[in-house]
């Protein structure tokens, strides 16, 4: 490379450095804006702030890019605000729906409570075989409007016995309760049907069965549900007690089995030790089959220790007494 070409390259480098310094100074002046735009200036990419060797971007293009960034950020903020408002509105709508549901449910319960005082309940002490709630409703609905029916299932033990004996394999019921919409209808039905034939067609299986029905005065359906819940709780409590008793018996039995096994193992070990101790003694005494004579040791019994005999008291002689007391 010649000296002229080297001088030209050096001049070009100096000129590029001066252009860069001027652009950097302009950038610093433009970026020295109020604090509100600091975040916007920080958001400008590093590539836009860097200037190329030919002078970099112009001031107009840089301002346009900043304006575009600002508009984009404003749009994003508006979108986020809209999303927040939409979420708040959806939460309010959900709360309103829940409140409306609670209000409707409360109104329905109050309405049912007010209507419950007008209803009457009849008790059936016997349910004919093969009769369920559907057929019972079909028969009794001819005499009045029915609201609810509850039939108590029969005893499981009786059901198992009947099925094993080859009887009816379905579900049978022991007693039932029927709720009419009006008390007057319930009283009339109980008075009219009690002791009468169920009737219907002669070919019906309940033609000769009799009604055993009675009107329950001052009895509500809530009383029935409470009684059923109470019975269920008692039954569950009894089952829990029986299960706990069975577990205790099982644990006691298993502990005794383990104890017997341990004792049996101890006896076996004791017998093995005795056999090991007796084997060398038998070999030294003589041929097999001759057991050593049993030695019975006798110890002479010592004489029992007797209590020492009491020595008689010494008596003073008469001469000594006469000399002391001066008797003649």
């Amino acid at each position: 490379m010649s000296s002229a070409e080297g001088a030209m390259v050096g001049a070009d480098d100096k000129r590029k450095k001066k252009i860069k310094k001027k652009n950097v100074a302009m950038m610093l002046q433009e970026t020295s804006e109020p604090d509100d735009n600091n975040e916007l200036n920080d958001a400008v990419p590093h590539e836009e702030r860097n200037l190329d060797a030919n002078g970099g971007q112009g001031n107009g293009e840089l301002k346009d890019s900043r304006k575009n960034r600002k508009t984009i950020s404003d749009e994003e903020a508006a979108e986020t605000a809209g999303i927040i408002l939409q979420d708040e509105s959806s939460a309010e709508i959900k709360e309103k729906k829940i409140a409306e549901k609670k209000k409707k449910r409360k109104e329905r319960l109050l309405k049912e409570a007010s209507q419950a005082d007008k209803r009457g309940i009849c008790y059936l002490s016997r349910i004919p075989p093969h009769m369920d709630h559907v057929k019972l409703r079909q028969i009794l609905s001819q005499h009045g409007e029915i609201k609810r029916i509850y039939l108590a299932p029969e005893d499981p033990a009786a059901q198992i016995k009947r099925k094993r004996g080859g009887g009816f394999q379905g579900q049978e019921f022991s007693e039932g309760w029927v709720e009419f919409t009006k008390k007057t209808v319930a009283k009339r039905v109980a008075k009219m049907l009690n002791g009468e034939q169920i009737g219907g067609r002669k070919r019906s299986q309940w033609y000769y069965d009799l009604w055993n029905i009675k009107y329950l005065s001052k009895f509500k359906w809530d009383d029935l549900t409470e009684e059923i819940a109470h019975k269920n709780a008692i039954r569950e409590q009894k089952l829990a007690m029986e299960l706990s008793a069975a577990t205790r018996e099982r644990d006691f039995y298993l502990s005794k089995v383990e104890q017997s096994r341990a004792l049996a193992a101890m006896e076996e070990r004791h017998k093995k030790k005795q056999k090991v101790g007796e084997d060398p003694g038998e070999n030294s005494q003589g041929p097999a089959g001759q057991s050593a004579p049993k030695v019975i040791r006798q110890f002479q019994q010592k004489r029992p220790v007797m209590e020492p005999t009491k020595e008689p008291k010494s008596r003073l002689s008469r001469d000594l007494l006469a000399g002391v007391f001066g008797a003649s």
Side-chain angles (χ1 to χ4, degrees):
M1 182 183 292
S2 63
S3 61
E5 290 178 356
M8 288 176 67
V9 171
D12 290 335
D13 293 336
K14 289 180 181 180
R15 184 170 56 80
K16 287 179 181 180
K17 287 180 180 180
K18 287 180 181 180
I19 291 167
K20 285 183 180 180
K21 286 180 181 179
K22 287 180 182 180
N23 290 328
V24 170
M26 290 173 67
M27 286 285 293
L28 292 171
Q29 288 178 2
E30 290 175 356
T31 53
S32 60
E33 294 175 359
D35 296 335
D36 297 334
N37 296 326
N38 287 336
E39 296 179 356
L40 185 61
N41 294 329
D42 294 336
V44 177
H46 183 67
E47 294 177 356
E48 293 182 359
R49 292 199 299 267
N50 292 333
L51 301 175
D52 56 357
N54 294 325
Q57 293 179 349
N59 296 330
E61 293 178 357
L62 187 61
K63 290 180 180 179
D64 292 338
S65 64
R66 288 175 181 169
K67 287 180 181 179
N68 293 331
R69 290 287 179 182
K70 188 173 183 181
T71 53
I72 291 167
S73 63
D74 293 338
E75 289 176 359
E76 290 177 354
E79 287 178 359
T80 53
I83 291 166
I84 292 167
L85 292 172
Q86 189 176 0
D87 293 338
E88 290 178 355
S89 61
S90 62
E92 290 177 358
I93 290 166
K94 286 181 181 179
E95 289 178 357
K96 287 180 181 179
K97 286 182 179 179
I98 292 167
E100 287 177 359
K101 286 182 180 179
K102 288 182 179 179
K103 188 176 179 181
K104 288 180 181 179
R105 186 179 179 185
K106 188 176 181 180
E107 290 176 357
R108 187 175 69 254
L109 290 173
L110 290 172
K111 187 177 179 180
E112 288 181 359
S114 62
Q115 291 178 356
D117 296 334
K118 300 177 182 178
R119 296 172 186 168
I121 297 173
C122 291
Y123 172 69
L124 298 171
S125 62
R126 178 181 175 274
I127 305 298
H130 312 293
M131 182 177 282
D132 57 1
H133 63 283
V134 177
K135 296 173 182 176
L136 184 64
R137 182 183 289 274
Q138 185 179 359
I139 294 170
L140 292 178
S141 60
Q142 300 174 2
H143 305 282
E145 186 179 357
I146 296 172
K147 189 69 176 176
R148 287 175 285 194
I149 294 175
Y150 175 75
L151 300 179
E154 64 177 343
D155 189 14
Q159 185 179 5
I160 292 167
K161 186 177 180 181
R162 186 186 72 250
K163 288 183 178 180
R164 286 179 179 176
F168 178 59
Q169 299 296 318
Q171 179 67 51
E172 290 190 359
F173 304 95
S174 59
E175 56 185 356
W177 289 263
V178 182
E179 184 184 27
F180 291 89
T181 54
K182 294 181 180 180
K183 291 181 179 180
T184 55
V185 175
K187 289 179 183 178
R188 179 171 54 82
V189 169
K191 188 176 181 181
M192 181 177 62
L193 296 180
N194 189 29
E196 299 293 331
Q197 287 185 0
I198 294 177
R201 297 180 181 178
K202 280 194 174 182
R203 298 179 64 181
S204 175
Q205 54 187 343
W206 309 300
Y207 181 78
Y208 294 103
D209 285 320
L210 301 178
W211 288 109
N212 293 323
I213 187 170
K214 182 181 180 181
Y215 172 73
L216 302 177
S217 61
K218 298 180 181 180
F219 188 81
K220 304 298 179 186
W221 197 261
D222 294 336
D223 300 334
L224 176 61
T225 54
E226 287 177 2
E227 184 179 357
I228 293 167
H230 181 64
K231 287 181 179 179
N232 291 334
I234 291 171
R235 185 182 63 195
E236 290 178 358
Q237 189 175 4
K238 286 182 179 179
L239 287 173
M241 291 174 66
E242 289 176 359
L243 286 173
S244 63
T247 52
R248 285 197 299 270
E249 290 178 359
R250 183 196 63 187
D251 296 338
F252 179 75
Y253 174 75
L254 292 174
S255 65
K256 291 296 181 183
V257 168
E258 293 293 333
Q259 188 176 0
S260 65
R261 287 177 181 174
L263 291 173
M266 290 171 65
E267 288 178 358
E268 288 179 358
R269 289 197 298 269
H270 186 64
K271 287 178 181 179
K272 287 180 180 179
K273 288 181 180 179
Q274 285 181 351
K275 287 181 180 179
V276 170
E278 290 175 358
D279 288 341
E282 291 178 356
N283 294 330
S284 62
Q285 286 177 4
Q290 294 181 2
S291 60
K294 190 174 181 180
V295 178
I296 299 173
R297 297 178 180 177
Q298 296 180 356
F299 299 93
Q300 293 181 1
Q301 188 175 3
K302 295 181 179 180
R303 292 181 181 179
V305 178
M306 301 297 292
E307 294 181 358
T309 56
K310 294 180 180 180
E311 296 179 356
K313 294 181 179 180
S314 60
R315 295 181 179 179
L316 298 174
S317 62
R318 290 181 179 179
D319 297 336
L320 183 61
L321 291 172
V324 172
F325 292 102
S328 58

